[in-house]
Amino acid sequence: MALVDRWYKILNILETNSNISQNALEDSLGTSRQTLKKNIQLLNKELNGIARITLDNHQYSLSIIQFEEYEKILSGKLKKESDFNSSSKRIAYILKRLIEYDAPITINDLSEELSVSRGTVTNDINSIRDVIQLYEVKIIGVTNKGLVISGSELNLRLLYINIVLDYFSMERVNEIIKQKILSKCRDLKVPKQSINLLIRVVETSFMRIAQGHNLIDEIKYYQNFISNTDVFEQFIIFLEEEYDITLSSNERDFIGFPFNIYNQGNEPQKEYNFDISAYIFSAMMKKIHGLFIIEFDENKLYEEIKVHLSHLINRLLMRIKAKDLFSIQLEAKYPLSNAMAKVAGQVIEKLIGRPVPDVEISYLTLYFEMALNRGSDSSNKDIAVICHTGRGTAKMIKQQLQRVLGNNVNISVYSQNEVNNELLEKYFAIFTTIPLRQDAITIPVIQLSTIFDDNYVREQWERVERNKTIDSAYIKVLVTNLDDTLNYKENLKKMTDTLEQHLLTDPDFVKRIFKREEIKSTVFDNGIAMPHAINKKSNKVVLNVGKFEAPFLVGSKEVEIVFMIGIPEDAPAVIENVLLEVYEFFFMVVNTPEIKERLLNAKDNAEVKELIRKEVI
């Protein structure tokens, strides 16, 4: 990575995270502590008087002194000021020459213009080929003439916008026109992150039009949400008058795309056609339900996600990366929702023809997590509050708990002398400021200080709620040792027979398992499979964990662990929660080698159940 590119990556990370540890920043950049320290020293010299990166108590933070000058830095000032010693700037220059000039150009010409060797230019072109492959663009050698660039007009423009203009100044948008555009942007209430992009789009569009390269084809799936608004029409008229040209509808739509990639509320007013979003959402749900037997309010999710999907589609089409606002790894925090989001991403990629970046998967993960959480058991729960200083302080703590936990709890308060085992056993959980001396209390106990931290209480409450679900009243766990002398189907039959022998599944459960396998294999990555079907025999979630002694080949994939899940036909909310916990654990095993290893080493049903409880909760 070129130094200037690393500088911008550092700034982007520090903008998202107000504080970030040395280790986390090193990991994000893939560099050593010594290299990072040197990079930041050099960057601080460039930022002198504008901003400052400081290290305090092993935490990096960014302080901005001159916001206007800092905005210029973010707009690419450091890249534009770099010289051809930077490979990134050489790459941008080569792309600029290839896109702006129709005639072939030789490596000798580029070598002379850049004042570098032919070998350096050849290496740069090889690097360019890796970059432009993502844009479906190619560099082609023409015999005895030189190099030309080949790709659709849309992709060539996006390449120019996203790479070339990072390093080179505008030629068609002069300062006067730029100030007029900024004024129009204020009228249109354009978000800050879109203004610089809009100026680049105007520069690129009129450069290509002047060269005779017009957008002939409509952009499939793209929507211009503001095409019929007066403010956008006035903006187009302004551009046509400035450049003395009449723009086609395709050119208008392209120039409008910076307005259509982020949801900034109702300004400017947008008109959505949700047909595409509805079609994609339907395909997403079909794929997800083909992999998971899981229930949530799809209509509610669609209403929440449809606008996001509309902007997401436009971002993918225009190859715009959403800003990564996530300081946590959502895959680890919400494994089931993340797995659903990845499935949704695969569907979108197949339909739209663009890869879905990880940051977009993170946004989808949050939507699915909200949808799943709505399915949680909303029945009121009784909890007890015990305080050593008496009922007065306990009532104060009750008010704090009510604020944190909401109205779905019934809170009773007691002093230390009022409680006994028989009294406490009827409660869902106990909050106490004192160590309880009663023996054999089976109810979850959460220790508090008199004035407690809200986040701590939320975390402990979630732990208690989830702990209650992994209970023998709601789940039955078995372990089956699988036989590598049998084929995979025979091993699945062995697992279903075990469940039926324990009177846990109905006679047709095995048929439903194999019918589901015929529709689509339930073998996932990393040696894990999850055959699952409706079970009409038990009102519990039934989990049979099958384990091979060594990786077992199923088709082209190896399998070590088989999660066979029987799902009650009419599951109440609490059973739905248990099922979610089992799914969460499954994807933890898929994604975390350490947990997978512990599961392989678990000797019996109790150890597997305890591992689920420990990891999920």
Side-chain angles (χ1 to χ4, degrees):
M1 182 186 296
L3 179 60
V4 69
D5 293 329
R6 185 175 286 122
W7 285 348
Y8 274 95
K9 189 164 185 180
I10 290 170
L11 291 176
N12 288 335
I13 291 170
L14 290 173
E15 277 211 317
T16 303
N17 304 274
S18 55
N19 288 283
I20 186 169
S21 70
Q22 282 179 293
N23 290 337
L25 189 53
E26 289 159 15
D27 291 343
S28 296
L29 296 167
T31 190
S32 67
R33 181 158 299 185
Q34 185 177 0
T35 301
L36 176 60
K37 185 177 179 181
K38 183 65 175 176
N39 287 166
I40 289 178
Q41 285 175 346
L42 294 172
L43 178 53
N44 273 332
K45 287 182 180 179
E46 297 292 333
L47 296 173
N48 186 30
I50 298 171
R52 184 80 183 165
I53 299 170
T54 55
L55 177 64
D56 184 34
N57 196 25
H58 305 293
Q59 297 278 323
Y60 279 108
S61 61
L62 172 69
S63 302
I64 301 171
I65 302 165
Q66 296 185 38
F67 283 88
E68 191 171 329
E69 290 300 313
Y70 183 72
E71 287 296 326
K72 293 178 183 177
I73 296 286
L74 290 185
S75 299
K77 182 180 178 183
L78 298 181
K79 290 182 178 180
K80 291 180 174 66
E81 291 175 351
S82 62
D83 57 28
F84 288 134
N85 288 322
S86 163
S87 61
S88 296
K89 185 152 188 174
R90 292 197 305 271
I91 285 170
Y93 179 82
I94 294 169
L95 284 172
K96 177 179 167 69
R97 288 284 275 113
L98 289 168
I99 292 172
E100 288 186 3
Y101 298 92
D102 293 329
I105 184 169
T106 67
I107 289 179
N108 283 338
D109 289 338
L110 291 171
S111 173
E112 185 176 336
E113 292 170 18
L114 293 167
S115 299
V116 296
S117 69
R118 281 175 50 89
T120 299
V121 172
T122 300
N123 290 336
D124 289 339
I125 289 171
N126 289 333
S127 298
I128 289 172
R129 285 194 166 102
D130 293 336
V131 173
I132 66 178
Q133 186 177 9
L134 300 174
Y135 288 78
E136 299 171 22
V137 170
K138 295 180 180 179
I139 293 177
I140 300 171
V142 180
T143 306
N144 298 325
K145 291 186 177 180
L147 304 172
V148 295
I149 196 164
S150 173
S152 71
E153 178 60 21
L154 172 64
N155 285 330
L156 288 173
R157 290 191 187 192
L158 296 176
L159 196 57
Y160 196 88
I161 289 165
N162 292 333
I163 296 180
V164 174
L165 291 180
D166 267 355
Y167 291 89
F168 294 95
S169 300
M170 310 283 178
E171 296 177 10
R172 286 161 183 80
V173 177
N174 59 36
E175 190 59 32
I176 294 173
I177 294 177
K178 181 179 178 180
Q179 291 305 317
K180 289 181 179 179
I181 291 175
L182 292 175
S183 176
K184 297 289 183 182
C185 286
R186 285 191 288 272
D187 295 339
L188 285 162
K189 295 183 171 60
V190 180
K192 185 180 292 184
Q193 67 264 38
S194 296
I195 293 175
N196 289 326
L197 177 59
L198 177 62
I199 293 171
R200 291 181 180 210
V201 170
V202 172
E203 166 75 16
T204 304
S205 296
F206 285 100
M207 179 267 289
R208 295 297 288 173
I209 292 170
Q211 294 172 344
H213 298 290
N214 298 293
L215 278 172
I216 305 300
D217 301 320
E218 286 187 6
I219 304 168
K220 190 176 181 181
Y221 298 120
Y222 169 74
Q223 290 188 73
N224 183 357
F225 309 127
I226 63 170
S227 60
N228 296 323
T229 62
D230 290 338
V231 285
F232 183 66
E233 181 63 28
Q234 291 302 314
F235 183 72
I236 293 297
I237 291 171
F238 151 70
L239 291 177
E240 289 179 331
E241 290 176 349
E242 287 290 340
Y243 291 97
D244 192 23
I245 193 171
T246 300
L247 294 169
S248 69
S249 60
N250 289 340
E251 295 290 358
R252 288 176 171 222
D253 285 342
F254 179 74
I255 288 172
F257 93 73
F259 302 104
N260 298 302
I261 53 176
Y262 299 111
N263 180 17
Q264 66 265 19
N266 295 323
E267 298 292 347
Q269 191 67 40
K270 295 182 177 181
E271 296 178 2
Y272 294 97
N273 180 339
F274 292 117
D275 290 349
I276 296 172
S277 294
Y279 174 69
I280 289 176
F281 182 81
S282 176
M284 285 163 44
M285 292 302 101
K286 182 178 179 181
K287 181 80 170 179
I288 286 169
H289 286 306
L291 292 172
F292 311 105
I293 298 179
I294 192 168
E295 297 297 329
F296 53 89
D297 190 336
E298 288 185 29
N299 293 330
K300 180 74 172 176
L301 175 59
Y302 173 67
E303 289 303 316
E304 291 175 342
I305 204 173
K306 63 183 182 182
V307 172
H308 177 83
L309 278 179
S310 298
H311 291 96
L312 166 59
I313 292 164
N314 281 354
R315 284 197 296 274
L316 296 179
L317 292 171
M318 298 305 180
R319 304 183 188 278
I320 300 298
K321 184 179 179 182
K323 192 163 187 178
D324 191 347
L325 302 176
F326 304 102
S327 58
I328 58 172
Q329 292 295 319
L330 295 183
E331 182 175 10
K333 188 172 179 63
Y334 308 123
L336 174 57
S337 298
N338 185 257
M340 295 168 69
K342 286 179 178 177
V343 172
Q346 292 167 6
V347 171
I348 295 169
E349 180 173 344
K350 184 176 181 180
L351 294 176
I352 300 299
R354 293 279 197 273
V356 182
D358 289 344
V359 63
E360 299 289 6
I361 298 296
S362 293
Y363 282 108
L364 292 174
T365 296
L366 293 183
Y367 279 100
F368 283 115
E369 181 65 20
M370 288 190 294
L372 294 178
N373 277 339
R374 271 196 298 273
S376 299
D377 182 12
S378 59
S379 59
N380 282 19
K381 298 177 177 65
D382 296 321
I383 64 175
V385 175
I386 305 166
C387 184
H388 67 289
T389 54
R391 294 172 64 91
T393 305
K395 287 181 179 179
M396 182 185 71
I397 294 176
K398 173 183 175 179
Q399 291 177 340
Q400 290 179 285
L401 286 172
Q402 202 84 58
R403 185 187 72 244
V404 174
L405 303 181
N407 296 320
N408 289 333
V409 291
N410 302 317
I411 302 175
S412 301
V413 295
Y414 299 98
S415 65
Q416 181 178 2
N417 296 329
E418 293 176 304
V419 297
N420 56 59
N421 282 3
E422 185 178 354
L423 174 68
L424 295 179
E425 283 297 326
K426 70 179 184 179
Y427 288 100
F428 181 82
I430 302 165
F431 289 82
T432 178
T433 62
I434 58 174
L436 294 180
R437 297 180 180 178
Q438 282 77 9
D439 297 327
I441 295 177
T442 60
I443 303 302
V445 176
I446 300 169
Q447 193 76 34
L448 293 175
S449 60
T450 304
I451 304 299
F452 56 77
D453 177 81
D454 287 2
N455 289 330
Y456 167 77
V457 171
R458 287 191 188 94
E459 290 172 2
Q460 294 300 310
W461 181 249
E462 288 174 5
R463 179 184 63 80
V464 169
E465 285 194 305
R466 298 173 85 169
N467 199 5
K468 284 284 188 177
T469 65
I470 307 300
D471 187 274
S472 58
Y474 306 125
I475 185 171
K476 181 67 177 178
V477 179
L478 297 180
V479 175
T480 300
N481 294 318
L482 301 179
D483 187 345
D484 60 7
T485 66
L486 304 176
N487 62 35
Y488 182 62
K489 188 173 182 179
E490 289 169 338
N491 273 295
L492 293 186
K493 182 67 166 59
K494 179 181 180 180
M495 294 180 73
T496 59
D497 288 347
T498 301
L499 292 174
E500 194 167 355
Q501 289 164 11
H502 283 79
L503 305 178
L504 293 172
T505 55
D506 65 276
D508 290 332
F509 178 73
V510 60
K511 295 179 182 178
R512 289 190 289 275
I513 284 288
F514 285 120
K515 184 177 180 180
R516 193 168 189 84
E517 287 295 310
E518 289 171 5
I519 296 171
K520 184 174 178 60
S521 171
T522 56
V523 177
F524 286 72
D525 294 328
N526 299 332
I528 316 295
M530 188 178 65
H532 53 291
I534 293 295
N535 177 23
K536 299 182 180 181
K537 173 82 172 182
S538 175
N539 59 0
K540 300 179 182 181
V541 173
V542 175
L543 172 63
N544 191 356
V545 179
K547 298 190 289 184
F548 288 102
E549 287 190 5
F552 186 87
L553 195 63
V554 180
S556 61
K557 294 184 177 181
E558 291 184 337
V559 173
E560 294 177 82
I561 303 173
V562 179
F563 282 71
M564 181 172 284
I565 307 173
I567 301 165
E569 187 170 26
D570 296 310
V574 66
I575 296 298
E576 289 285 351
N577 290 342
V578 175
L579 184 59
L580 290 180
E581 304 299 351
V582 172
Y583 281 146
E584 293 274 14
F585 180 67
F586 171 80
F587 286 106
M588 285 180 178
V589 175
V590 170
N591 295 318
T592 313
E594 295 82 3
I595 298 176
K596 176 183 171 183
E597 188 64 27
R598 287 202 291 273
L599 180 58
L600 285 169
N601 292 330
K603 297 181 179 64
D604 54 30
N605 307 349
E607 285 192 20
V608 171
K609 195 170 181 179
E610 183 57 32
L611 183 61
I612 297 173
R613 189 193 306 275
K614 179 180 178 182
E615 294 301 333
V616 174
I617 300 165

